[in-house]
Amino acid sequence: MFHKNNGRQLGQPKNHFPKLLFLIDIDGTLIRREGDFLIPKKLQKIISYGRKNNIIFGINTNRILSDARKFFKALHLNGPLIAEAGNIFEIDRRCYVMKGATPVLSKIIDTFKNINFDTGTNLQVLTFKNKQALIAKRPLAIFINERRIYTGSVFIRRNGIIDPVLTKNIFIRVYAALQEVGCDSWVVPRAGKIIIFNKGVHRITTLKMVGHKFFNKYKVIVVSDDEPVRKKSTRKILL
């Protein structure tokens, strides 16, 4: 994207930069594992250089808004902050909630508590605010993140350890019930995690709306890993 020739793309006039809005994912892109966030100097230079030349950088993540703000501030970004899989976003510190975004926490808790998972072991359904709760030595537990509003993160642990097979089996049992209360979901067995979304909101739709309404003269580029988003990928999407 940037070349040694004063940062210009080949064939472009001097001091002319394309109108670009980069939306950067967090998990799997800025960080690979929880707690390993370290801003590469190269990325810092690209963002700093781009900002001086009217290129805009923002965040696009499934994380909650308060978590996403920390990355936004650390990277000194200047664009939109899209959080909770497109349900909520901020521009110039003003917060917007997408049409169709409704709180889902109580629906998720009730759904998991009302299903008989036939695990053969006493299964606890718990809520948590801090991930330290996940390592507790409980025989079998489903942990639901109570800090989320419009999306859900559910973790399955056996004696504080990830069990990919158990996670997948629980997901299979709960998927249809979540659909009935207006939620889509997908599973990451190796992380012992089920991720839940509002059916009425799609983060790619939010990306397009934000680009069209607030940055209609900009080409939007999503910088993401191959993490699926409702069976679609945001990798290298050009809007």
Side-chain angles (χ1 to χ4, degrees), residues 170-187:
I170 286 179
F171 171 71
I172 291 169
R173 295 295 298 272
V174 80
Y175 178 81
L178 288 170
Q179 288 277 318
E180 289 178 5
V181 296
C183 294
D184 276 342
S185 56
W186 57 282
V187 63

Side-chain angles (χ1 to χ4, degrees), residues 41-213:
K41 289 184 179 180
K42 185 177 181 180
L43 178 59
Q44 287 180 311
K45 290 180 180 179
I46 289 173
I47 291 173
S48 177
Y49 186 80
R51 287 193 58 171
K52 291 175 183 177
N53 291 281
N54 299 315
I55 292 175
I56 297 175
F57 297 87
I59 289 284
N60 167 49
T61 182
N62 184 41
R63 289 202 175 205
I64 61 174
L65 194 60
S66 59
D67 280 356
R69 284 187 185 127
K70 296 174 185 176
F71 291 89
F72 191 91
K73 183 177 180 180
L75 291 166
H76 303 288
L77 304 184
N78 60 340
L81 193 169
I82 300 172
E84 286 212 58
N87 283 267
I88 189 169
F89 64 94
E90 283 186 345
I91 296 178
D92 295 329
R93 298 184 180 181
R94 183 174 179 180
C95 188
Y96 301 83
V97 177
M98 284 291 288
K99 183 178 180 180
T102 56
V104 296
L105 178 62
S106 61
K107 294 179 183 179
I108 293 170
I109 293 173
D110 290 344
T111 298
F112 276 87
K113 284 188 173 180
N114 291 331
I115 289 181
N116 181 7
F117 290 102
D118 293 328
T119 58
T121 304
N122 185 29
L123 175 66
Q124 294 179 288
V125 178
L126 308 166
T127 60
F128 74 95
K129 290 183 179 179
N130 190 313
K131 284 190 175 180
Q132 285 296 111
L134 302 182
I135 64 175
K137 299 294 183 181
R138 301 177 185 276
L140 187 58
I142 294 174
F143 294 93
I144 300 172
N145 188 342
E146 64 179 65
R147 296 177 65 205
R148 289 183 173 272
I149 301 173
Y150 305 104
T151 58
S153 285
V154 178
F155 298 84
I156 290 85
R157 296 291 185 271
R158 190 192 295 274
N159 293 315
I161 298 173
I162 294 171
D163 185 328
V165 174
L166 176 65
T167 301
K168 189 173 182 179
N169 289 339
I170 286 179
F171 171 71
I172 291 169
R173 295 295 298 272
V174 80
Y175 178 81
L178 288 170
Q179 288 277 318
E180 289 178 5
V181 296
C183 294
D184 276 342
S185 56
W186 57 282
V187 63
V188 187
R190 68 182 183 278
K193 183 177 182 180
I194 298 171
I195 300 171
I196 301 169
F197 305 94
N198 261 312
K199 267 188 179 181
V201 180
H202 192 305
R203 85 176 182 182
I204 293 179
T205 302
T206 304
L207 296 180
K208 291 181 178 178
M209 187 281 293
V210 169
H212 177 74
K213 184 173 182 179

Side-chain angles (χ1 to χ4, degrees), residues 13-35:
K14 186 178 180 181
N15 297 326
H16 176 77
F17 288 83
K19 288 185 176 292
L20 298 175
L21 164 60
F22 286 89
L23 290 173
I24 306 169
D25 188 20
I26 295 177
D27 294 288
T29 304
L30 287 177
I31 64 174
R32 293 293 177 181
R33 293 177 298 179
E34 190 72 28

